[in-house]
Amino acid sequence: FLKATAVASLATGVAAVAGSTKAADKKFTIALIPGLTTDAFYITMRKGAEAAAKAVGAELVFQGGPDFNPVTQVPVLDAVIAKKPDFILIAPTDKDQLIQPLKKAADAGIPIITVDTFIGNGVYQTGSGDADFPLAYIASDNLLGGAIAARALAKAVGEKGKVYVSNVKPGVSTTDQREQGFKEEMKKYPNITVLETQYNDDDANKAASQLQAVFARNSDLDGVFGANLFSALGAANGVQQAGQTGKIRVVAFDAPTSIVDNINSGLVDLAIAQHPAEIGYFGVMAAYAHLTGNSIPTAIGTGFTVIDKSNVADKKIAKFIYSD
Ligand code: T6T
């Protein structure tokens, strides 16, 4: 048996040289599954991923669900697994609910990196737990991002008063960590009360009506932290609809063009831009490195660019505004 295997692999080796299908020449297919397809954050991530795929001659397949929800993401993941790509990059829409579906990919021999969000506790390749099998996590430092938001909002409201977090839903690693980082940092401001978090299910309209409802209950509301793109956009719209522009201060996570317009108009004080193109670029590069036999780091952290009135018109900032 051993002998037969050796002969077979030798034969394959010969064929590979003759056909010139060495690993480095192979056109790899790398799938990128975003949290949802119609979100400027993931559209920008895709652009970075496409740029890297072009650089290494890989094919990028971008396939995702219509909303940020495991119920719509898991069938997309199953369909991608069935096509047997060489690598899966995915932003899991829930820390727990994507573990088993992703295990299926790992069991099928498809290597995985999670981008933006994580499964389990986000610490991979430790040999412990049931969710450490992805090779790497490539993302912003969301705890830090939440702390930056808290400091900015505290400053905007004069370090006193009432604020709240407009958030997506519990179970999403990124937005959970932003809220955690925000609340921890807010403990340094004893004169600021953080009201109960409002969960909007990634629906900007819901975030806008929640802002008005919180304001109706708290006429002395001073500020809101929108913990992702739709939360921030919705909360800002709610402030405007309530006629409170400049009175209820808004700190936004994410930087689509609409938020930048709102900084110019004074509706939003500051936006914390992530670097989604960088996440996509390094996601593909790490996948390619692994596929060509190189080792890769288990975590890659990407940065932030804070945008406010003082730098919003700066040309160097423009590349951090998300693509639509
Ligand atoms: O904030 C990003 C992303 O980091 C988060 O995981 C989900 O929401 C966004 O896509 C923005 O909508």
Side-chain angles (χ1 to χ4, degrees):
F1 170 77
L2 266 178
K3 211 170 171 188
T5 312
V7 169
S9 62
L10 185 68
T12 316
V14 170
V17 172
S20 161
T21 51
K22 293 190 300 245
D25 292 341
K26 184 177 174 214
K27 191 173 174 81
F28 294 113
T29 300
I30 299 171
L32 171 59
I33 304 176
L36 72 163
T37 51
T38 55
D39 177 331
F41 174 84
Y42 294 113
I43 292 170
T44 310
M45 184 188 291
R46 177 188 189 170
K47 287 198 170 171
E50 298 273 16
K54 200 170 163 217
V56 299
E59 189 196 348
L60 184 84
V61 175
F62 182 79
Q63 213 172 322
D67 49 16
F68 198 94
N69 194 331
V71 174
T72 48
Q73 190 181 42
V74 171
V76 172
L77 172 60
D78 285 341
V80 167
I81 295 171
K83 282 196 237 145
K84 301 187 170 44
D86 295 298
F87 209 103
I88 292 178
L89 303 171
I90 183 170
T93 46
D94 188 280
K95 278 187 284 210
D96 300 318
Q97 292 183 53
L98 264 293
I99 296 175
Q100 282 319 313
L102 276 172
K103 192 103 193 34
K104 278 199 259 169
D107 290 346
I110 306 169
I112 300 153
I113 285 179
T114 75
V115 286
D116 177 45
T117 45
F118 59 71
I119 52 170
N121 64 6
V123 183
Y124 300 150
Q125 298 294 311
T126 56
S128 63
D130 61 353
D132 79 319
F133 57 86
L135 298 177
Y137 174 49
I138 306 180
S140 310
D141 180 341
N142 289 290
L143 281 170
L144 173 66
I148 294 172
R151 288 199 285 272
L153 191 57
K155 192 172 166 211
V157 302
E159 299 192 4
K160 60 177 183 348
K162 284 186 188 166
V163 304
Y164 78 93
V165 183
S166 174
N167 210 343
V168 179
K169 60 187 152 195
V172 181
S173 71
T174 46
T175 49
D176 282 357
Q177 286 193 325
R178 289 170 204 165
E179 180 173 336
Q180 189 188 336
F182 179 87
K183 287 185 168 164
E184 271 164 21
E185 187 66 18
M186 273 302 186
K187 287 186 189 146
K188 296 182 186 159
Y189 302 94
N191 298 324
I192 295 180
T193 306
V194 180
L195 302 171
E196 201 186 333
T197 296
Q198 302 295 305
Y199 292 109
N200 55 52
D201 222 9
D202 218 23
D203 177 345
N205 290 329
K206 206 164 161 185
S209 19
Q210 286 170 337
L211 184 290
Q212 304 209 42
V214 176
F215 180 50
R217 294 193 295 269
N218 302 273
S219 57
D220 53 350
L221 181 68
D222 296 286
V224 56
F225 167 40
N228 83 331
L229 194 154
F230 298 106
S231 306
L233 209 53
N237 288 342
V239 168
Q240 191 172 37
Q241 286 152 12
Q244 295 298 305
T245 302
K247 292 187 196 123
I248 300 177
R249 314 296 291 264
V250 182
V251 165
F253 219 89
D254 292 312
T257 47
S258 47
I259 282 288
V260 174
D261 294 344
N262 289 339
I263 291 175
N264 281 317
S265 75
L267 178 59
V268 169
D269 278 274
L270 172 144
I272 299 164
Q274 302 186 75
H275 295 174
E278 226 171 274
I279 298 175
Y281 191 94
F282 285 90
V284 167
M285 282 301 182
Y288 184 75
H290 175 79
L291 289 169
T292 50
N294 297 288
S295 66
I296 59 171
T298 53
I300 299 178
T302 53
F304 296 118
T305 298
V306 175
I307 307 177
D308 63 12
K309 261 211 153 106
S310 72
N311 65 358
V312 67
D314 191 331
K315 285 205 176 65
K316 282 192 234 110
I317 292 299
K319 71 165 171 284
F320 296 112
I321 296 165
Y322 302 177
S323 310
D324 291 312

